[in-house]
Amino acid sequence: MSDITRVRGPYAGRNSGTAFNGMGWAVATTQTETDDVHDQTASTLARIDEILSEMGSDRTRILSATIYLTDIATKDEMDRAWCDWIGADPQHWPQRACVETGLAAGHRVEIVVIAAL
């Protein structure tokens, strides 16, 4: 049986990452105090990088991403940060969905990814 690896997050009762059987799941929100969606996205993606690294993966191995925004009208701002981060090589682009939803106070972006390890 494979061991489960868990990456601690900042909140009680949940982790930021879980790895099992060659797969990794990660979730992150901004690590900075800003209302700017581009900056929150960049900060969130930096945290995703950290979590994936702790699990033995990286952004080039992401299979699926779901991005939650509090205002879908800010999608272009989020996309700028995403495209800068994910790079120009389509071989590294995951399938991705973006949805509008409510988030915790101060958070305008939350990102969930599934990656191969």
Side-chain angles (χ1 to χ4, degrees):
M1 180 193 311
S2 297
D3 289 331
I4 298 171
T5 301
R6 299 183 196 279
V7 177
R8 249 330 266 131
Y11 305 107
R14 58 188 174 213
N15 287 305
S16 292
T18 305
F20 177 74
N21 202 25
M23 299 291 293
W25 295 260
V27 59
T29 55
T30 189
Q31 306 297 296
T32 63
E33 301 262 339
T34 180
D35 284 336
D36 183 85
V37 170
H38 178 274
D39 292 346
Q40 276 203 16
T41 303
S43 172
T44 301
L45 291 168
R47 178 65 183 138
I48 291 287
D49 277 335
E50 293 169 1
I51 297 164
L52 290 173
S53 178
E54 285 189 52
M55 294 187 298
S57 191
D58 64 59
R59 70 180 81 163
T60 67
R61 302 196 41 86
I62 296 173
L63 305 171
S64 176
T66 304
I67 300 174
Y68 300 95
L69 295 173
T70 57
D71 182 357
I72 201 69
T74 63
K75 184 176 178 291
D76 287 345
E77 295 172 58
M78 178 278 301
D79 270 334
R80 268 190 317 111
W82 172 270
C83 288
D84 287 345
W85 179 78
I86 202 65
D89 186 349
Q91 293 300 312
H92 297 157
W93 296 349
Q95 64 93 58
R96 192 192 86 182
C98 185
V99 296
E100 181 179 53
T101 191
L103 295 173
H107 295 273
R108 301 187 66 197
V109 180
E110 185 167 337
I111 300 175
V112 178
V113 300
I114 301 168
L117 301 180

